[in-house]
């Protein structure tokens, strides 16, 4: 039975990459079955393949909402907590990272432990897993920043509330470019909103923003960091206090 299930979801995982097949898979109950496998199976191989298929489905906004309403974050979080294989964690982190890019799901995703699940996976230390975690954090920060700009969100970042800032600062200059690129972007999005400035200053993020504005290989991120630093009264005051020539 386990082999039959594994073969079935392996086929689905390949098919899901084609956008034209996604609606058929969901209509046939494929998404529900994949989520059920995460909750009912103890086989990590099945978890890995199912999570990979869910990650592919989670690239579609409609599917993202279905995953959330069917308890997907809780199931993915439990799978991550019990997983030992870095490839399983990579698939789970990829699925959550895709969900982090949906503006409408931010509060629900955080409330059901999505951010903490991402942070919990950094224990693995595998660069592919860390890259997916970083992508999820960047996606979340971008959506959150947009909501703050539009006035639909107030208060400091949920990423800061859930304890993500130390890891973000620690990895903002990671030697692996996929990790570093996502984290640099996340820092810039967080820094655009003055309500986050105090925590970012005390957490060491100001120094990283200065470095990003000067040394980042991507001009758009350098420009964003520079604009953020020069427009923030809190950052400006702290740079004067520290006599940072800027």
């Amino acid at each position: 039975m386990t082999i039959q299930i594994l073969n079935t979801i392996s086929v689905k995982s390949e098919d899901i990459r084609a956008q034209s097949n996604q609606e058929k898979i969901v209509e046939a109950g494929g998404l529900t079955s994949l989520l059920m496998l995460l909750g009912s199976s103890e086989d990590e191989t099945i978890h890995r393949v199912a999570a990979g298929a869910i990650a592919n489905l989670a690239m579609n906004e409609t599917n993202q909402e279905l995953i959330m309403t069917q308890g997907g974050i809780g199931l993915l979080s439990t799978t991550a907590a019990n997983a030992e294989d870095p490839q399983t964690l990579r698939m789970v982190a990829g699925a959550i990272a895709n969900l982090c890019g949906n503006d409408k799901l931010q509060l629900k995703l955080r409330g059901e432990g999505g951010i903490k699940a991402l942070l919990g996976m950094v224990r693995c230390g595998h660069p592919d897993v860390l890259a997916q975690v970083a992508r999820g954090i960047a996606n979340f920060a971008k959506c959150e920043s947009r909501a703050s700009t539009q006035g639909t969100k107030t208060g400091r970042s949920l990423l800061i509330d859930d304890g993500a800032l130390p890891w973000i600062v620690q990895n903002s200059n990671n030697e692996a470019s996929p990790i570093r690129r996502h984290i640099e972007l996340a820092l810039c999005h967080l820094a655009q909103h003055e309500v986050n400035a105090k925590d970012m200053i005390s957490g060491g993020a100001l120094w990283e923003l200065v470095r990003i504005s000067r040394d980042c290989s991507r001009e758009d991120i350098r420009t964003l960091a520079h604009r953020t630093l020069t427009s923030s009264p809190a950052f400006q005051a702290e740079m004067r206090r520290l006599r940072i020539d800027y």
Side-chain angles (χ1 to χ4, degrees), residues 14-227:
E14 293 171 1
D15 288 346
I16 286 169
R17 294 190 180 94
Q19 181 69 28
S20 60
N21 290 333
Q22 289 204 3
E23 289 184 8
K24 294 178 182 177
I25 292 170
V26 173
E27 288 173 1
L31 175 56
T32 300
S33 297
L34 290 165
L35 290 169
M36 287 177 62
L37 282 169
L38 290 184
S40 62
S41 175
E42 296 182 359
D43 188 322
E44 186 167 347
T45 301
I46 289 180
H47 288 172
R48 180 171 62 254
V49 180
I54 292 167
N56 285 323
L57 279 173
M59 290 187 284
N60 175 282
E61 184 174 340
T62 300
N63 294 339
Q64 290 168 358
E65 295 177 9
L66 287 172
I67 290 168
M68 293 297 294
T69 57
Q70 294 184 33
I73 283 295
L75 291 166
L76 289 165
S77 298
T78 300
T79 301
N82 296 327
E84 297 180 358
D85 186 340
Q87 293 309 310
T88 304
L89 291 169
R90 180 174 70 87
M91 297 299 182
V92 174
I96 296 177
N98 287 340
L99 296 173
C100 284
N102 188 318
D103 302 70
K104 294 180 287 186
L105 301 179
Q106 293 251 296
L107 287 175
K108 187 174 177 63
L109 187 146
R110 186 263 181 148
E112 295 183 6
I115 296 173
K116 289 188 179 296
L118 278 178
L119 293 174
M121 284 183 271
V122 305
R123 73 184 189 279
C124 169
H126 193 287
D128 290 346
V129 177
L130 299 186
Q132 292 300 322
V133 171
R135 183 170 70 86
I137 287 173
N139 283 346
F140 196 96
K142 181 178 181 179
C143 289
E144 198 174 50
S145 177
R146 184 161 51 228
S148 295
T149 300
Q150 294 171 348
T152 57
K153 182 195 179 302
T154 58
R156 72 177 186 174
S157 169
L158 298 177
L159 290 169
I160 294 176
D161 285 345
D162 272 10
L165 187 59
W167 189 82
I168 292 172
V169 172
Q170 179 184 348
N171 286 274
S172 60
N173 198 22
N174 194 293
E175 62 182 16
S177 60
I179 300 170
R180 184 176 64 253
R181 182 178 67 251
H182 289 308
I183 292 302
E184 287 177 338
L185 192 56
L187 264 181
C188 289
H189 284 306
L190 288 173
Q192 287 183 76
H193 304 284
E194 194 72 4
V195 70
N196 296 325
K198 180 180 178 181
D199 292 285
M200 296 187 75
I201 289 169
S202 64
L206 175 59
W207 293 101
E208 292 305 319
L209 285 166
V210 172
R211 179 193 59 76
I212 291 167
S213 72
R214 293 171 174 171
D215 302 334
C216 181
S217 59
R218 283 182 51 177
E219 183 179 359
D220 58 333
I221 298 179
R222 283 201 313 273
T223 301
L224 181 58
H226 176 79
R227 186 169 67 242

